[in-house]
Amino acid sequence: MTAPFLEVLAATIPDLHLSTDGVDLEAHRRDETAYLEPPLPLAVAYPASTAEVAAIARVATAHRVPLVPRGAGTGLAGGANAVAGGLVVSLVRMNRVLEIDQENRVVVVQPGVVNADLKMAVAAHGLHFAPDPASYETCTIGGNLATNAGGLCCVKYGVTGDAVLGLEVVLADGAVVRTGGRNVKDVAGYDLASLFVGSMGTLGIITEATLRLIAPPAPKQTLLAFFPTIEASGAAVAGMVRCGVQPCTLELMDAFSIRAVNAACSLGLDESAAAMLLVESDLPGAAGVEELDRAERACEAAGVGLLVRAQDAAEADMLREGRRKAHWALEAMGASRMEDVVVPRSRVPDLLRAIHEIGRRHGLEIGVFGHAGDGNLHPSFIFDRDDLTGPARLQLAEEDLYRATLALGGSVTGEHGIGVIKRSWLEATRGPEAVRVMRAVKAALDPLGILNPGKLL
Ligand SMILES: Cc1cc2nc3c(=O)[nH]c(=O)nc-3n(C[C@H](O)[C@H](O)[C@H](O)COP(=O)(O)OP(=O)(O)OC[C@H]3O[C@@H](n4cnc5c(N)ncnc54)[C@H](O)[C@@H]3O)c2cc1C
């Protein structure tokens, strides 16, 4: 059954780059979920055009072979993990910036463009692409769209989906759908682009995107604020929101993360603090100074300990470094798993308390950092690499984390997605009726279940 599929594929698309090489298969087995053991894919296809993607989908549908779309494989939810007997469709060769339309502040790209390359390309035309996942130097726009990726600047500029004006998508049967375009406003019919954004490759393969650009922001001005209690840091965030401060970055690290970062990078962050906020403004000159002044006043009203303001760009970069390195610093502390949960911003202190209590209950070290301005935290549960009971305790801790998050009115994922790892929590998060609607959408667009089966739903 499978050999004819690959033969037909090669015969139908003679120029298609197709690999069954063992090293390639292993490299496309999983994303960044190193702890999962998905099967090897049947093969990896590297299409170079929408027409090739559409032809792959037609042949796969005829042979009932599952397709797994893939960007850079930096996902943290198993979304790009291979499925048994499935073909991985890597979009990395479709990596061209097709057009930069300065007049309309719009860029048209193929899905395999790396986020950082897109930023660089539009910067050369005096424009800026805002979405900025921490993985921006490697992840692709297709992956960003399919996960609706967030990042450090979401608090001001929104998530990837907020930058989308239009998409071209190949459906499971090979049909090519175009939705949206260059119009700033367009309400003709259902908003199909929003349906595909965040669908993790389960509804269609994104082959082109028309994205919104903005004027480049001014260089960031940077403030670090160290708090004696978690509550005080939460009160400072609430104070900033209340008085209308709109930083472009509002990030949090707890005491354990601060210690981990110091241990990894010797940054000399204040280890007596229970929490640290990184606050940045990208307003120009005096307006940025004034915004950070107001942020400082909110911190002072909340009982901040130490305040450190960067004097120049180099110092700002150094202060930012701690937050940037938090994930790697925590990974160095033992076996760890970065989690991704979100609550209404006002509930961040409650979530932090719950997280630390869960860590204690299961005997796990825990470091928390994340996007305080969005209510989106990344707790990392850590245990000794030699501790054989660690993984089981970790699983129980994660289940408690999801329950606590939902009880606070939150969601089990703020930006990494459901993927394979949180499928069993989708219904608890969205409710049975919403999941029924999602299944109906999936059945309408992909009745044979060709696209990324076992993911999300
Ligand atoms: C160090 C690190 C930091 C990170 N920081 C952030 C962060 O700040 N914010 C954040 O949101 N995420 C973050 N991530 C997670 C990850 O980088 C994002 O989810 C990213 O958007 C994935 O892009 P990718 O190209 O690697 O996609 P992949 O991992 O290859 O795929 C992700 C999902 O998208 C689907 N997909 C990929 N391309 C297409 C396409 N063209 N059409 C349809 N479906 C497609 C895949 O099937 C899969 O379900 C981080 C990851 C790491 C390792």
Side-chain angles (χ1 to χ4, degrees):
M1 174 64 208
T2 52
F5 165 69
L6 292 180
E7 281 162 24
V8 173
L9 199 60
T12 311
I13 320 168
D15 292 334
L16 180 66
H17 289 206
L18 194 58
S19 174
T20 52
D21 174 81
V23 175
D24 262 356
L25 299 188
E26 190 57 49
H28 291 82
R29 183 182 212 147
R30 61 170 78 76
D31 58 12
E32 287 286 329
T33 50
Y35 54 94
L36 297 181
E37 282 300 330
L40 282 176
L42 173 66
V44 184
Y46 302 89
S49 66
T50 301
E52 286 193 354
V53 176
I56 291 171
R58 279 194 297 275
V59 177
T61 289
H63 288 79
R64 307 288 192 268
V65 169
L67 298 178
V68 178
R70 184 177 175 108
T74 66
L76 291 163
N81 285 4
V83 301
L87 177 73
V88 169
V89 181
S90 167
L91 282 308
V92 293
R93 288 183 67 223
M94 293 178 67
N95 62 353
R96 281 185 302 133
V97 175
L98 299 172
E99 187 189 345
I100 298 171
D101 174 351
Q102 284 177 288
E103 212 169 15
N104 287 302
R105 288 199 169 171
V106 156
V107 62
V108 184
V109 292
Q110 291 187 312
V113 174
V114 168
N115 182 302
D117 293 342
L118 174 56
K119 281 188 195 300
M120 226 162 13
V122 302
H125 290 76
L127 291 165
H128 180 63
F129 178 65
D132 66 334
S135 52
Y136 77 105
E137 284 162 319
T138 43
C139 63
T140 66
I141 295 301
N144 296 168
L145 291 163
T147 56
N148 199 4
L152 267 65
C153 289
C154 295
V155 64
K156 184 164 182 179
Y157 296 110
V159 291
T160 305
D162 294 313
V164 174
L165 287 172
L167 294 179
E168 178 189 82
V169 182
V170 171
L171 302 184
D173 62 2
V176 180
V177 178
R178 292 191 74 92
T179 162
R182 279 168 215 221
N183 299 320
V184 173
K185 298 168 78 178
D186 184 347
V187 292
Y190 296 137
D191 181 359
L192 294 183
S194 291
L195 193 59
F196 292 111
V197 170
S199 67
M200 300 199 88
T202 61
L203 298 181
I205 303 179
I206 298 164
T207 47
E208 190 185 294
T210 304
L211 304 168
R212 196 191 303 271
L213 300 173
I214 58 173
K220 289 177 191 158
Q221 303 189 43
T222 303
L223 167 74
L224 286 191
F226 295 87
F227 296 87
T229 62
I230 295 282
E231 284 69 22
S233 66
V237 172
M240 284 183 233
V241 173
R242 217 173 18 249
C243 70
V245 176
Q246 207 190 4
C248 62
T249 316
L250 182 42
E251 296 285 309
L252 176 138
M253 278 168 48
D254 72 351
F256 191 87
S257 305
I258 292 172
R259 284 199 300 277
V261 165
N262 275 346
C265 325
S266 310
L267 280 182
L269 301 174
D270 177 5
E271 293 198 5
S272 69
M276 181 196 96
L277 289 180
L278 165 71
V279 191
E280 293 188 299
S281 172
D282 62 2
L283 293 179
V289 173
E290 201 260 333
E291 183 154 63
L292 284 196
D293 286 346
R294 289 163 68 208
E296 273 196 14
R297 285 198 289 278
C299 292
E300 279 159 358
V304 72
L306 179 66
L307 284 166
V308 183
R309 194 110 155 216
Q311 296 307 310
D312 52 40
E315 200 178 64
D317 216 39
M318 202 264 288
L319 297 183
R320 203 176 298 128
E321 193 64 3
R323 167 58 187 89
R324 267 206 224 114
K325 292 276 160 65
H327 171 50
W328 289 278
L330 288 167
E331 270 192 337
M333 305 293 278
S336 82
R337 178 102 42 98
M338 176 166 55
E339 260 300 338
D340 168 44
V341 288
V342 61
V343 290
R345 288 185 288 201
S346 60
R347 307 308 297 269
V348 166
D350 298 322
L351 180 60
L352 280 164
R353 262 192 306 274
I355 290 168
H356 287 118
E357 166 52 30
I358 290 165
R360 265 192 297 278
R361 193 181 315 146
H362 296 285
L364 296 164
E365 298 268 41
I366 183 135
V368 190
F369 63 90
H371 318 297
D374 305 327
N376 182 196
L377 296 184
H378 296 308
S380 291
F381 294 104
I382 297 159
F383 55 92
D384 201 283
R385 288 200 171 82
D386 301 328
D387 179 356
L388 296 178
T389 68
R393 284 186 289 129
L394 174 66
Q395 192 182 335
L396 293 174
E398 286 183 329
E399 287 168 6
D400 281 357
L401 171 68
Y402 305 149
R403 271 189 283 273
T405 302
L406 294 177
L408 291 168
S411 166
V412 295
T413 173
E415 54 181 24
H416 297 164
I418 290 287
V420 283
I421 59 172
K422 292 181 182 172
R423 275 198 318 158
S424 59
W425 286 87
L426 183 61
E427 192 161 311
T429 306
R430 289 281 180 248
E433 282 309 305
V435 173
R436 188 178 63 78
V437 173
M438 290 184 205
R439 287 192 191 286
V441 171
K442 170 75 175 169
L445 294 183
D446 181 16
L448 299 173
I450 298 292
L451 285 170
N452 224 355
K455 314 292 171 62
L456 201 151
L457 286 173

